[in-house]
């Protein structure tokens, strides 16, 4: 490893950890709305992060196909930020391409500690009265949701899910039944407050799925993956399904009402913004508000990208995820593949799936993923 690469790797890990730490402690918590100084500090830190990631990209060496993608996606992501003042897709692009050669598991081990520590700090700050709660009634049920110091109950549930997913990656092939029960118990306990259904169900699915899969011979997994090559197009399927909801479902019909109820009235929000702005190729600044909600109420990553960031950004997002899935399938990295699929499904009900602080799988795209650990353990078993 030459000095330039080592420097870029070190800077990337530091900025990745710091970005996640401050995003959780400020952006995901009530601190952003309770403290204008904290919100301003986080805003300027994001500018610093963007500058650092640009610097790292300049230090990297890319293959021709990677460089072409970078040349296409980087200007588009910069245009989305300039037009909408929304930083998610720009951060997604920068972290994806700056992560080339990064050791994924080693980075996530450090990040897991940061996430657990950040979550604990927010809960403690809430308990001692520093951070307030956002109390919401669950649509259609009347159940009260408590954010417990987070900016929204979904943020708390989302952070729990990311902690679970990172734990499963770090401990893959070594997960015990005690860990399964512990992770499940923590998820169930906090879901009583957050009631974030999607992240809760995906957490449980990942816990039991990865636990079972770790005992299956890798050759069998490889055969299964070989037979479902179309899995790499999963992001396109989710995109078509999401956009079809707003394009073809007519308000007032029975199927629309059913879908709207299952999505906790999100379909009303999607349909409103589709009627206001439509779907277009380039990003478009939208200032309309839906009822008492801000634009962040568009909780579907694919619709959010298509209506707000533009179809080119949506296609770029899907292309990155398709290439990532293909890479993981070719190398039989089942544990990482499960995490990517989880985040893609999560994107159906959350626009946060674009944000690197939530979707840490951005570093799977060009990061260095260990391919020999699975085989070594299998050899010892058989």
């Amino acid at each position: 490893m030459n000095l330039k690469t080592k420097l870029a790797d070190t800077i990337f890990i530091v900025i990745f950890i710091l970005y996640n730490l401050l995003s959780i402690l400020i952006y995901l918590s009530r601190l952003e709305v309770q403290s204008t100084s904290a919100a301003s500090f986080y805003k300027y830190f994001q500018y610093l992060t963007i500058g650092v990631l640009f610097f790292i990209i300049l230090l990297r060496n890319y293959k021709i196909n990677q460089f072409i993608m970078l040349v296409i996606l980087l200007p588009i992501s910069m245009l989305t930020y300039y037009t909408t003042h929304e930083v998610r897709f720009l951060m997604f692009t920068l972290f994806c391409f700056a992560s080339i050669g990064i050791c994924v598991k080693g980075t996530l081990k450090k990040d897991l500690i940061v996430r657990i520590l950040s979550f604990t700090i927010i809960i403690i700050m809430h308990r001692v009265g520093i951070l307030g709660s956002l109390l919401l009634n669950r649509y259609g049920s009347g159940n009260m949701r408590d954010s417990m110091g987070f900016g929204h109950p979904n943020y708390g549930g989302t952070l729990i899910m990311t902690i679970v997913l990172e734990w499963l990656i770090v401990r893959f092939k070594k997960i015990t039944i005690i860990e399964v029960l512990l992770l499940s118990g923590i998820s169930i306990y906090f879901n009583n407050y957050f009631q974030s259904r999607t992240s809760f169900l995906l957490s449980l699915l990942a816990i039991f799925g990865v636990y079972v899969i770790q005992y299956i011979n890798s050759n069998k997994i490889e055969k299964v993956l070989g037979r479902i090559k179309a899995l790499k197009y999963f992001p396109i399927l989710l995109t078509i399904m999401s956009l079809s909801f707003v394009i073809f479902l007519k308000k007032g019909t029975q199927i629309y009402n059913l879908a709207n109820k299952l999505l906790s009235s999100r379909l009303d929000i999607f349909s409103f913004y589709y009627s206001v702005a439509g779907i277009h190729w380039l990003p478009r600044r939208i200032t309309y508000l839906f009822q008492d909600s801000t634009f962040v109420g568009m909780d579907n990553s694919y619709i959010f990208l298509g209506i707000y960031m533009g179809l080119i950004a949506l296609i770029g997002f899907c292309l990155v995820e398709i290439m990532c899935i293909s890479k993981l399938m070719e190398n039989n990295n089942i544990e990482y593949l499960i995490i990517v699929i989880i985040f893609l499904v999560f994107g159906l009900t959350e626009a946060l799936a674009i944000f690197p602080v939530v979707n840490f799988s951005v570093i799977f795209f060009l990061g260095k993923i260990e391919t020999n650990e699975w085989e070594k353990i299998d050899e010892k078993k058989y």
Side-chain angles (χ1 to χ4, degrees), residues 303-318:
I303 297 174
F304 180 86
L305 283 167
I307 292 179
Y308 204 27
M309 302 295 179
L311 282 176
I312 296 178
L314 175 56
I315 292 169
F317 174 79
C318 289

Side-chain angles (χ1 to χ4, degrees), residues 12-20 95 107-108 111 360 363:
F12 178 87
I13 293 172
V14 171
I15 199 67
F16 182 73
I17 297 297
L18 278 178
Y19 175 74
N20 288 342
F95 271 108
T107 303
L108 293 185
D111 191 52
F360 57 78
I363 65 174

Side-chain angles (χ1 to χ4, degrees), residues 49-272:
T49 301
I50 291 170
V52 171
L53 291 174
F54 266 110
F55 175 70
I56 294 173
I57 287 173
L58 290 175
L59 294 177
R60 299 299 198 187
N61 296 315
Y62 297 96
K63 296 178 181 178
I64 185 64
N65 62 324
Q66 296 169 348
F67 183 74
I68 291 172
M69 279 195 66
L70 176 62
V71 169
I72 294 172
L73 286 182
L74 192 54
I76 289 297
S77 64
M78 292 171 65
L79 181 62
T80 63
Y81 179 62
Y82 175 78
T83 305
T84 67
H85 305 301
E86 167 59 61
V87 75
R88 294 181 208 193
F89 188 64
L90 176 59
M91 285 295 189
F92 175 85
T93 302
L94 291 174
F95 271 108
C96 275
F97 286 95
S99 67
I100 183 170
I102 286 294
C103 177
V104 170
K105 185 169 287 189
T107 303
L108 293 185
K109 282 181 181 179
K110 299 179 182 69
D111 191 52
L112 176 60
I113 296 171
V114 167
R115 288 178 188 270
I116 294 173
L117 181 63
S118 303
F119 183 86
T120 304
I121 290 172
I122 291 173
I123 296 299
I124 291 174
M125 290 175 71
H126 168 64
R127 292 298 189 190
V128 300
I130 297 174
L131 292 177
S133 272
L134 178 65
L135 301 176
L136 298 173
N137 283 316
R138 163 64 69 186
Y139 176 82
S141 69
N143 294 333
M144 187 63 70
R145 307 175 66 194
D146 187 345
S147 72
M148 298 186 74
F150 288 91
H152 191 282
N154 285 349
Y155 292 176
T158 296
L159 184 54
I160 284 287
M161 182 187 75
T162 63
I163 290 172
V164 167
L165 296 180
E166 280 195 336
W167 187 287
L168 296 175
I169 286 179
V170 170
R171 293 283 299 162
F172 185 65
K173 279 292 185 178
K174 300 176 184 177
I175 303 169
T176 65
I177 190 63
I178 299 299
E179 289 171 276
V180 169
L181 295 175
L182 178 63
L183 293 174
S184 301
I186 292 172
S187 299
I188 293 170
Y189 173 79
F190 283 105
N191 188 61
N192 290 329
Y193 296 94
F194 301 137
Q195 296 183 46
S196 181
R197 294 178 297 187
T198 303
S199 57
F200 172 64
L201 292 174
L202 289 176
S203 294
L204 294 185
L205 179 64
I207 291 168
F208 290 99
V210 171
Y211 179 70
V212 171
I213 285 172
Q214 73 176 0
Y215 293 106
I216 300 176
N217 180 266
S218 63
N219 291 329
K220 295 179 181 178
I221 294 292
E222 189 173 10
K223 289 179 181 178
V224 172
L225 292 179
R227 293 172 182 172
I228 52 173
K229 292 181 179 179
L231 180 63
K232 64 184 179 181
Y233 299 114
F234 191 54
I236 295 178
L237 174 64
L238 297 182
T239 296
I240 294 173
M241 184 171 67
S242 298
L243 296 183
S244 295
F245 269 81
V246 295
I247 295 173
F248 299 114
L249 289 188
K250 302 301 180 183
K251 197 166 186 177
T253 62
Q254 187 173 359
I255 189 171
Y256 180 98
N257 293 335
L258 177 61
N260 195 43
K261 183 177 181 180
L262 291 173
L263 293 171
S264 300
S265 79
R266 285 184 176 94
L267 189 53
D268 279 342
I269 300 176
F270 301 158
S271 299
F272 172 80

Side-chain angles (χ1 to χ4, degrees), residues 17-28 41-42 45:
I17 297 297
L18 278 178
Y19 175 74
N20 288 342
L21 174 66
L22 293 176
S23 294
I24 293 168
L25 290 179
I26 299 176
Y27 180 80
L28 294 184
F41 174 77
Y42 180 68
F45 176 75

